[in-house]
Amino acid sequence: MLRTLRRAFSSQPYRVVNHDVMGIRLASLKKCMPGETFSKFNRVATDACTQHSMTDAWKGVNYVAKTEKDHIPFYLEHHPQPNLRVSADSESVVATRPIQPGDFLSIDYCATEHTLFAQFPTVAEPALLRPWTTGSHEEVNEEGKMWLNIDTPPQDLLTSCHAEYDARERMQFHGVDLLDAAWSYDPDTPLYVYSKEALRINLHRVAHYLHKHFERSTLFYSVKANSCETVLCEIRHAGQTRLDVCSPQEVDRGRACGFDVADMQYTGTNLSDADLIRLARHEDLRINVDSLSSLARLPLRRHVGLRLDPNMGMSYQDDERLQCTCGSKPTKMGILLSDVRQACELARRRGVNLERIHAHVGNSFQTDDMGPLNGILAQVQHAISICEEEGFAITEVNLGGGYGVPYLPDELTFDWDAWAEAVKKYPAITERRVQIEPGDSIVKNAGVMIARATDVFEKAGTAFVGLNAGMNLNPLPAYYGITSYPYPVLRREGDARRVSVVGNLNESVDVWREDASMTPVEVGDHVALFNSGGYAHSCRTNHSLRNEFNSLLI
């Protein structure tokens, strides 16, 4: 097939490249400047929309290639900043950026992809990208409910990650053989593996529950969870348009990956004057201020919200280290309920329009950790009433992120229905637009880190498995006790036993898991550390200069 394609493209200004990771791509054979026609193509109008067709949304027409030689633009890769655009009327492909020989060719499919998927049958083939859906907002079919874990029993760690051992005892992650992935790069370098399918599943699942329970709702993806350009571009390609950002740099990163500033909401702390000046360049940016000082210096006047400190928080196993706000001591984030009226007076004097109450109150909390939720929601509702008494029309309520996933083998998926039912007890919240800004719920279990065993030994009755990856590549296990649970990529014969899986940094806290249950592991074996998709890549450090890693999006 590839040989046939190469012959077909031999007379074209591009060549076919069989890329090991990205698959078949098209590379330019010529130089082309913006506005110049890169290539002509022949196409025919059709009522059918296929995976290799192009949609003209204005005319309501789909186009397919007339001949085997006319694959452009139908086989171009997606990119949020493409170097080509289609001019259907002139049957040409026009450069949008300078193109040099060897550059891979791309266009942006985001505007028409929902039309493409709307043509897929409800009962889909397993190989299709989204077997649970036939378009953007339709009902989820029974197969899709199982796939997305919607209206089904809670799932454990491996099931929720779509991971299992195959007949050869090799770990499969969303259908990808992790041993093959480990050897696709340098097998002695840690490898982040991200699943496109997992990102789409998680986005669709969370959005489903929001739409199910709230008439008006908005999902923001929290960039700090994973700011990798590849992941952000894939999330944008999957249809997610809104971002939660917490630094000017994250604003810039989001823009570079195809997101509009008008669709971003900024929630930060301890903003410098330099930060505020950079943010003020974007008049449409929504911003939540978390101190009276920030409000006094804020150069923006529109789309402003107050970040509330309800003096209580939720977290995994009630660990206060994970809470943005807690009752035992003051924290740096948010405005206390007792200061909300003062904030309103300050906003009024400065001509700032307050339109939102924000309350981000925890991290990685499970269903059983939601005890403080009612108290938090009651304070949010009280803050709304104070703002309205002061003359501000609060139209949005952002309830933050921190929604957890299973971290240990026997833990279960988060109960979104239980969370939503608790929120619905407070009409002052639900009669407004409900917003959330999850990060881990989208990317945590969409990423696995593959490391290699460098040492296996026993000491004072404790068995250790040492890996070539440490807390510099994922600080959460050491800092917060949030486990990226280890599994052998190749499961050897033998009984499982309790082992301490540790990293390669000269730090005693560099521990992945102290009591992991693992089948025998030998030096040179690969180990998969699940739940490495969130707060790993974006929080990595340069500790001991051990900063080598590879990334793979599958």
Side-chain angles (χ1 to χ4, degrees):
M1 175 64 178
L2 185 58
R3 191 177 297 113
T4 302
L5 282 174
R6 281 176 175 154
R7 285 201 304 270
F9 283 105
S10 60
S11 61
Q12 302 291 352
Y14 41 83
R15 64 187 177 91
V16 179
V17 178
N18 189 11
H19 194 272
D20 290 340
V21 177
M22 302 299 293
I24 294 178
R25 307 174 83 186
L26 303 183
S28 175
L29 293 176
K30 74 173 189 178
K31 181 178 180 180
C32 191
M33 299 305 293
E36 294 180 351
T37 296
F38 180 84
S39 177
K40 293 281 188 176
F41 63 94
N42 293 314
R43 47 98 176 118
V44 61
T46 175
D47 292 333
C49 186
T50 71
Q51 286 181 288
H52 301 300
S53 67
M54 177 182 62
T55 298
D56 187 327
W58 291 101
K59 296 180 180 179
V61 174
N62 304 301
Y63 297 110
V64 295
K66 282 184 177 179
T67 71
E68 192 180 46
K69 294 182 179 181
D70 297 314
H71 288 85
I72 236 180
F74 310 106
Y75 283 160
L76 297 179
E77 68 168 306
H78 165 80
H79 197 280
Q81 292 182 307
N83 51 23
L84 292 175
R85 65 175 176 83
V86 174
S87 176
D89 291 338
S90 61
E91 297 187 343
S92 62
V93 184
V94 179
T96 60
R97 293 188 288 139
I99 298 174
Q100 299 293 332
D103 288 352
F104 289 121
L105 303 172
S106 62
I107 61 174
D108 187 350
Y109 291 100
C110 281
T112 59
E113 190 189 41
H114 67 283
T115 305
L116 168 63
F117 281 116
Q119 306 299 318
F120 286 169
T122 301
V123 180
E125 296 293 333
L128 289 180
L129 196 57
R130 298 193 290 189
W132 58 86
T133 178
T134 58
S136 296
H137 304 294
E138 66 289 290
E139 292 295 323
V140 179
N141 59 34
E142 291 304 314
E143 179 188 3
K145 289 180 180 179
M146 293 296 296
W147 192 253
L148 295 167
N149 189 27
I150 290 174
D151 300 330
T152 57
Q155 295 177 341
D156 60 20
L157 171 61
L158 286 186
T159 305
S160 66
C161 291
H162 292 260
E164 61 183 354
Y165 287 102
D166 65 12
R168 300 168 298 169
E169 299 295 342
R170 290 161 65 144
M171 179 65 79
Q172 305 292 308
F173 174 59
H174 284 271
V176 173
D177 189 309
L178 291 184
L179 190 59
D180 285 345
W183 284 93
S184 67
Y185 286 90
D186 179 355
D188 289 311
T189 300
L191 175 67
Y192 292 106
V193 179
Y194 299 108
S195 167
K196 296 179 183 178
E197 185 175 72
L199 293 172
R200 291 170 180 265
I201 286 174
N202 293 338
L203 280 169
H204 196 96
R205 179 170 183 262
V206 176
H208 166 84
Y209 281 107
L210 274 183
H211 296 321
K212 172 182 175 181
H213 288 284
F214 305 109
E215 182 179 353
R216 293 178 298 160
S217 60
T218 304
L219 170 64
F220 293 86
Y221 167 68
S222 179
V223 175
K224 66 179 181 290
N226 192 315
S227 56
C228 174
E229 289 179 330
T230 304
V231 171
L232 281 176
C233 287
E234 183 59 32
I235 287 174
R236 176 65 186 89
H237 183 34
Q240 176 64 20
T241 61
R242 298 183 182 272
L243 295 180
D244 164 61
V245 292
C246 60
S247 72
Q249 293 81 1
E250 288 188 354
V251 174
D252 295 341
R253 176 63 60 85
R255 294 180 68 197
C257 295
F259 293 87
D260 193 326
V261 174
D263 291 329
M264 299 182 192
Q265 190 168 130
Y266 186 102
T267 308
T269 187
N270 292 326
L271 294 175
S272 67
D273 289 339
D275 287 340
L276 292 172
I277 290 171
R278 287 182 64 176
L279 296 176
R281 298 170 186 167
H282 310 292
E283 293 184 358
D284 292 332
L285 178 67
R286 291 167 168 79
I287 186 167
N288 299 311
V289 293
D290 79 335
S291 71
L292 297 176
S293 170
S294 295
L295 181 57
R297 294 178 290 120
L298 187 69
L300 298 170
R301 299 291 187 270
R302 301 184 303 132
H303 306 310
V304 178
L306 290 182
R307 182 181 191 178
L308 181 69
D309 177 359
N311 205 31
M312 62 182 73
M314 301 183 295
S315 60
Y316 180 59
Q317 297 180 349
D318 200 29
D319 191 333
E320 287 193 348
R321 293 176 300 172
L322 289 163
Q323 296 176 11
C324 300
T325 173
C326 58
S328 65
K329 61 181 179 179
T331 65
K332 66 178 183 178
M333 299 176 184
I335 297 171
L336 291 170
L337 184 64
S338 58
D339 293 330
V340 169
R341 199 173 297 277
Q342 182 180 351
C344 290
E345 293 172 356
L346 179 57
R348 187 166 48 250
R349 288 199 308 268
R350 301 199 64 242
V352 173
N353 180 41
L354 299 179
E355 64 181 28
R356 180 184 322 104
I357 294 296
H358 177 283
H360 182 71
V361 293
N363 192 350
S364 305
F365 50 86
Q366 307 276 11
T367 306
D368 293 340
D369 300 316
M370 291 196 297
L373 181 57
N374 282 323
I376 293 168
L377 295 172
Q379 291 208 37
V380 170
Q381 185 164 267
H382 192 178
I384 293 172
S385 65
I386 293 174
C387 290
E388 292 196 328
E389 289 172 6
E390 294 292 332
F392 293 99
I394 301 299
T395 60
E396 301 171 343
V397 178
N398 189 321
L399 297 177
Y403 312 94
V405 299
Y407 302 109
L408 302 179
D410 58 349
E411 290 179 346
L412 301 177
T413 44
F414 185 73
D415 190 337
W416 285 96
D417 284 323
W419 170 82
E421 292 300 332
V423 175
K424 288 194 289 188
K425 295 176 183 177
Y426 297 86
I429 295 176
T430 56
E431 67 188 15
R432 292 163 172 82
R433 178 171 292 276
V434 176
Q435 303 171 337
I436 61 171
E437 49 190 47
D440 271 357
S441 298
I442 308 302
V443 295
K444 194 75 165 186
N445 67 11
V448 174
M449 184 192 296
I450 303 177
R452 203 167 194 186
T454 55
D455 206 352
V456 178
F457 59 95
E458 290 198 17
K459 183 177 178 180
T462 298
F464 288 88
V465 174
L467 304 180
N468 66 340
M471 67 182 190
N472 56 311
L473 296 182
N474 185 350
L476 264 66
Y479 291 171
Y480 297 125
I482 299 295
T483 299
S484 288
Y485 203 85
Y487 286 88
V489 172
L490 175 64
R491 187 164 59 182
R492 296 183 178 276
E493 291 186 3
D495 295 334
R497 63 170 179 167
R498 295 289 174 178
V499 299
S500 286
V501 182
V502 295
N504 59 350
L505 298 184
N506 196 28
E507 300 285 352
S508 60
V509 295
D510 185 25
V511 178
W512 290 103
R513 184 69 189 178
E514 286 188 338
D515 60 347
S517 177
M518 297 182 71
T519 51
V521 175
E522 299 179 2
V523 171
D525 286 355
H526 286 94
V527 174
L529 297 160
F530 281 83
N531 284 328
S532 294
Y535 297 96
H537 178 279
S538 59
C539 294
R540 70 190 189 282
T541 71
N542 205 30
H543 195 301
S544 300
L545 299 181
R546 287 192 177 274
N547 51 13
E548 292 185 346
F549 66 91
N550 291 313
S551 295
L552 174 64
L553 180 68
I554 55 176

